[in-house]
């Protein structure tokens, strides 16, 4: 009986860790939907809260968790502002190719990098394979640079023209990181017993890779 709360916490942490690849699925290079903003906000806040039940006494983990929650809340604030603007403005601006999309990319990628730090610090059994963590970090860094580049163009009143291969690489890195995370992290948790969830997750990751390949192919041919 005394071990039950500890087991419940570990199971909850494993679930959060196993499905954190979904953050890369919604971290798109072409954000254009309110629903994407909402999803990113909820994912970052949810993942940011989850470690606080495991390591409350760690200052570094608490700081990283607060960073994730802050970025998630910031994206939530942008979402509310965008909704209000669409309700009351005569000519509401589009999310795609705007500073809102760029800021969202920057906040989300920084939040995911904070999540990688948390996972490395408190993964319950053993540290996740370096390959999966490296792929996750690479996809996040690319999204961060992509967001910085696009917001620089937007704020300088330049025309935002990003080649298809740029978007394709983002999707390819995200999808590759998702597949790597599922194979090397998710399958090492209790979630691996739920075959349907694992297969569905793999399909999601592979589909993202295919989208990236299509974008790159369109740019080449």
């Amino acid at each position: 009986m005394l071990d039950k709360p500890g087991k419940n916490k570990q199971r909850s942490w494993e679930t959060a860790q196993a499905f954190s690849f979904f953050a890369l699925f919604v971290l798109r290079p072409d954000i254009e939907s309110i629903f994407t903003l909402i999803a990113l906000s909820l994912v970052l806040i949810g993942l940011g809260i989850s470690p606080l039940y495991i390591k409350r006494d760690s200052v570094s983990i608490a700081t990283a968790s607060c960073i994730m929650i802050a970025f998630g809340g910031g994206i939530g604030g942008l979402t509310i502002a965008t909704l209000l603007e669409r309700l009351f403005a005569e000519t509401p601006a589009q999310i795609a190719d705007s500073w809102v999309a760029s800021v969202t990319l920057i906040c989300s990628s920084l939040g995911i990098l904070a999540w990688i730090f948390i996972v490395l610090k408190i993964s319950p059994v053993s540290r996740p394979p370096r390959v999966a963590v490296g792929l996750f970090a690479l996809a996040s860094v690319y999204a961060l640079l992509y967001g910085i580049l696009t917001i620089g163009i937007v704020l300088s009143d330049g025309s935002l023209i990003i080649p298809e291969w740029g978007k394709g690489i983002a999707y390819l890195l995200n999808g590759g990181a998702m597949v790597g995370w599922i194979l090397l992290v998710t399958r090492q948790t209790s979630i691996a017993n739920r075959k349907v969830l694992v297969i569905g997750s793999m399909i999601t990751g592979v589909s993202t890779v295919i989208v990236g390949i299509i974008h790159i192919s369109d740019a080449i041919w």
Side-chain angles (χ1 to χ4, degrees):
M1 291 294 292
L2 294 176
D3 293 336
K4 189 173 181 180
K7 290 180 179 179
N8 289 338
K9 287 182 179 181
Q10 180 172 332
R11 190 177 299 111
S12 298
W13 168 247
E14 284 188 354
T15 301
Q17 184 179 346
F19 287 106
S20 60
F21 71 88
F22 185 73
L24 289 182
F25 177 69
V26 292
L27 186 64
R28 310 166 65 87
D30 51 356
I31 296 173
E32 57 185 16
S33 169
I34 287 288
F35 296 107
T36 303
L37 296 180
I38 294 173
L40 282 169
S41 177
L42 294 178
V43 167
L44 288 179
I45 292 174
L47 291 178
I49 292 174
S50 62
L52 298 178
Y53 293 97
I54 308 298
K55 289 283 187 180
R56 294 184 177 180
D57 56 340
S58 174
V59 176
S60 60
I61 291 174
T63 301
S65 296
C66 289
I67 289 172
M68 292 188 68
I69 295 170
F71 282 134
I75 295 172
L78 282 176
T79 305
I80 294 172
T82 303
L83 283 172
L84 292 175
E85 192 263 352
R86 288 191 169 187
L87 286 174
F88 297 107
E90 295 181 359
T91 56
Q94 297 296 319
I95 297 175
D97 299 334
S98 69
W99 68 268
V100 173
S102 300
V103 169
T104 300
L105 271 177
I106 293 171
C107 291
S108 300
S109 55
L110 289 174
I112 293 174
L113 289 173
W115 173 252
I116 292 172
F117 169 79
I118 293 171
V119 170
L120 287 173
K121 292 285 286 186
I122 62 172
S123 52
V125 179
S126 61
R127 291 196 172 191
R130 301 286 183 180
V131 174
V133 173
L135 290 173
F136 222 68
L138 181 61
S140 301
V141 170
Y142 185 87
L144 175 62
L145 297 176
Y146 191 100
I148 293 173
L149 172 63
T150 54
I151 197 172
I153 296 174
V154 171
L155 294 180
S156 63
D157 294 328
S159 58
L160 183 58
I161 301 175
I162 302 296
E164 286 297 309
W165 62 263
K167 295 179 180 179
I169 291 176
Y171 277 109
L172 191 62
L173 290 176
N174 284 14
M178 289 163 62
V179 172
W181 194 269
I182 294 164
L183 292 175
L184 300 174
V185 177
T186 302
R187 290 184 61 190
Q188 306 306 316
T189 67
S190 58
I191 303 300
N193 298 325
R194 303 177 183 181
K195 302 297 184 182
V196 175
L197 292 177
V198 175
I199 293 173
S201 301
M202 280 295 296
I203 292 173
T204 300
V206 172
S207 299
T208 305
V209 171
I210 293 173
V211 171
I213 294 174
I214 292 173
H215 277 286
I216 295 173
S217 299
D218 288 343
I220 296 175
W221 307 108

